[in-house]
Amino acid sequence: MAQYKGTMREAGRAMHLLKKREKQREQMEVLKQRIAEETILKSQVDKKFSAHYDAVEAELKSSTVGLVTLNDMKARQEALVRERERQLAQRQQQEQQRLQQERLREQEQRRERKRKISCLSFALDDLDDQADAADAAEARRPGNLGKDPDVDTSFLPDRDREEEENRLREELRQEWEAQREKVKDEEMEVTFSYWDGSGHRRTLRVRKGNTVQQFLKKALQGLRKDFLELRSAGVEQLMYIKEDLILPHYHTFYDFIIARARGKSGPLFSFDVHDDVRLLSDATMEKDESHAGKVVLRSWYEKNKHIFPASRWEPYDPEKKWDKYTIR
């Protein structure tokens, strides 16, 4: 640049081009170095994978003389591969054992050094002095007071007490679960009527843990032989009405029993049929009456829901409470 004879503007442009070329040259050098490193790494990886198969190929060539069939060739090749893999695994196991022995030897040497240090008299004296100093500092600490046995500390966190409470709570939960399952397994008799405008009373024994859908499926099996319209019907086309409430299929009888649920005209937790024969003079006492539930085709209900008794039916809502039974 010292011999450049042009104007200052041309000199600046030439300087800018030189810097740009220098930057491009540096970028090319970095790129070449990166490509070289990737090539070396790839060659190392290829060597790791190829060494095993090269040894197998060489041994296969040396052991194969003359013409052999394809099956014999494959069998020999598989045997050589298995033998080579076994040798590699054995060599790796030996290497692991050697490393483990070295670690054990180092641990033994460290323990030996600690033992020798502990045998020195001045080391023990120093440790005793440090322990005495720590005890003295702990004794001088102003907040280090003993626990008063007369103070009630039940409100303070206590790990042992919390663990005992959690254990007792878990035992009670398991006991309650066992009792609930026992109640669910109990059988009961359900009295119902297939309703197609008139009642056809039946009885059926089910478990308290069965759902309404399972009950309807079992009832449908017994009703099909007596009613032609039910032979092609499925359980999803049936409805179960108890005390003027349409019960969902997913509820279990146990749900109604444990909740002491009430319907519009009677209790939902009693599935037999009985009348209240008591002479009640107290109006606050609940009547003990239970009516047979109705099994109805959904298509029949859609056609006759404006006519009594279907006009009284409504879906079951657990949030809705019936303070008085109404029968019309």
Side-chain angles (χ1 to χ4, degrees), residues 145-158:
L145 300 177
K147 180 180 178 182
D148 188 354
D150 298 330
V151 176
D152 182 17
T153 59
S154 59
F155 61 92
L156 295 176
D158 189 345

Side-chain angles (χ1 to χ4, degrees), residues 312-328:
R312 280 177 50 86
W313 301 346
E314 59 180 89
Y316 169 72
D317 184 4
E319 301 297 330
K320 192 171 183 179
K321 306 299 181 184
W322 302 96
D323 295 331
K324 292 184 179 180
Y325 296 147
T326 58
I327 303 175
R328 292 187 299 176

Side-chain angles (χ1 to χ4, degrees), residues 69-111:
T69 62
L70 180 60
N71 293 332
D72 293 341
M73 189 71 174
K74 288 182 178 179
R76 290 183 184 180
Q77 186 176 8
E78 292 176 357
L80 290 174
V81 169
R82 286 195 297 269
E83 180 65 21
R84 183 65 177 176
E85 290 177 350
R86 187 187 63 80
Q87 293 177 0
L88 292 175
Q90 185 177 4
R91 189 178 306 168
Q92 185 177 5
Q93 185 178 5
Q94 292 176 356
E95 183 67 20
Q96 291 178 355
Q97 292 178 354
R98 185 182 63 80
L99 294 175
Q100 186 176 4
Q101 291 177 357
E102 290 181 356
R103 286 196 295 269
L104 293 175
R105 195 179 300 113
E106 291 177 358
Q107 293 177 0
E108 185 65 26
Q109 291 176 357
R110 285 198 296 269
R111 284 196 294 268

Side-chain angles (χ1 to χ4, degrees), residues 76-327:
R76 290 183 184 180
Q77 186 176 8
E78 292 176 357
L80 290 174
V81 169
R82 286 195 297 269
E83 180 65 21
R84 183 65 177 176
E85 290 177 350
R86 187 187 63 80
Q87 293 177 0
L88 292 175
Q90 185 177 4
R91 189 178 306 168
Q92 185 177 5
Q93 185 178 5
Q94 292 176 356
E95 183 67 20
Q96 291 178 355
Q97 292 178 354
R98 185 182 63 80
L99 294 175
Q100 186 176 4
Q101 291 177 357
E102 290 181 356
R103 286 196 295 269
L104 293 175
R105 195 179 300 113
E106 291 177 358
Q107 293 177 0
E108 185 65 26
Q109 291 176 357
R110 285 198 296 269
R111 284 196 294 268
E112 184 67 20
R113 285 197 296 268
K114 289 182 180 179
R115 187 183 63 79
K116 290 180 179 179
I117 292 174
S118 64
C119 292
L120 298 176
S121 59
F122 63 85
L124 293 175
D125 295 339
D126 293 341
L127 292 175
D128 293 338
D129 294 340
Q130 293 177 2
D132 295 339
D135 294 338
E138 188 71 18
R140 289 193 300 270
R141 187 173 299 172
N144 189 20
L145 300 177
K147 180 180 178 182
D148 188 354
D150 298 330
V151 176
D152 182 17
T153 59
S154 59
F155 61 92
L156 295 176
D158 189 345
R159 179 178 299 176
D160 295 335
R161 185 172 66 246
E162 291 177 357
E163 291 179 355
E164 181 66 21
E165 290 177 355
N166 292 334
R167 185 186 61 79
L168 181 59
R169 190 179 293 110
E170 180 64 21
E171 289 179 357
L172 292 175
R173 187 191 66 81
Q174 292 179 0
E175 183 179 355
W176 180 79
E177 289 283 350
Q179 291 179 356
R180 186 178 68 169
E181 293 300 324
K182 183 179 179 181
V183 173
K184 284 185 175 182
D185 287 336
E186 294 178 357
E187 286 191 353
M188 65 176 185
E189 188 175 81
V190 178
T191 302
F192 68 96
S193 292
Y194 171 62
W195 190 265
D196 57 356
S198 60
H200 309 277
R201 184 163 294 188
R202 299 285 192 278
T203 58
L204 194 64
R205 296 194 64 83
V206 297
R207 292 171 52 248
K208 293 181 179 180
N210 288 140
T211 61
V212 173
Q213 184 176 17
Q214 292 172 335
F215 159 72
L216 290 175
K217 184 177 181 181
K218 193 172 182 180
L220 182 60
Q221 293 175 356
L223 293 172
R224 276 178 174 162
K225 59 184 179 181
D226 296 329
F227 302 96
L228 296 177
E229 66 272 16
L230 295 179
R231 293 184 179 178
S232 61
V235 67
E236 65 280 354
Q237 299 174 1
L238 294 179
M239 300 167 58
Y240 181 54
I241 294 87
K242 174 67 173 169
E243 307 301 345
D244 294 327
L245 294 181
I246 304 172
L247 302 185
H249 284 197
Y250 55 85
H251 275 294
T252 64
F253 293 102
Y254 176 81
D255 296 336
F256 301 112
I257 295 172
I258 198 67
R260 304 289 292 181
R262 295 158 53 99
K264 296 175 67 174
S265 55
L268 295 177
F269 52 84
S270 181
F271 296 92
D272 57 350
V273 177
H274 61 270
D275 296 327
D276 193 353
V277 297
R278 295 176 301 171
L279 298 177
L280 299 178
S281 58
D282 189 356
T284 61
M285 294 183 64
E286 180 180 10
K287 281 192 172 184
D288 184 21
E289 294 182 352
S290 179
H291 309 94
K294 295 179 176 61
V295 176
V296 182
L297 274 172
R298 193 177 299 274
S299 58
W300 184 93
Y301 171 72
E302 293 296 335
K303 294 178 182 178
N304 300 276
K305 60 183 177 181
H306 61 286
I307 304 173
F308 182 85
S311 59
R312 280 177 50 86
W313 301 346
E314 59 180 89
Y316 169 72
D317 184 4
E319 301 297 330
K320 192 171 183 179
K321 306 299 181 184
W322 302 96
D323 295 331
K324 292 184 179 180
Y325 296 147
T326 58
I327 303 175

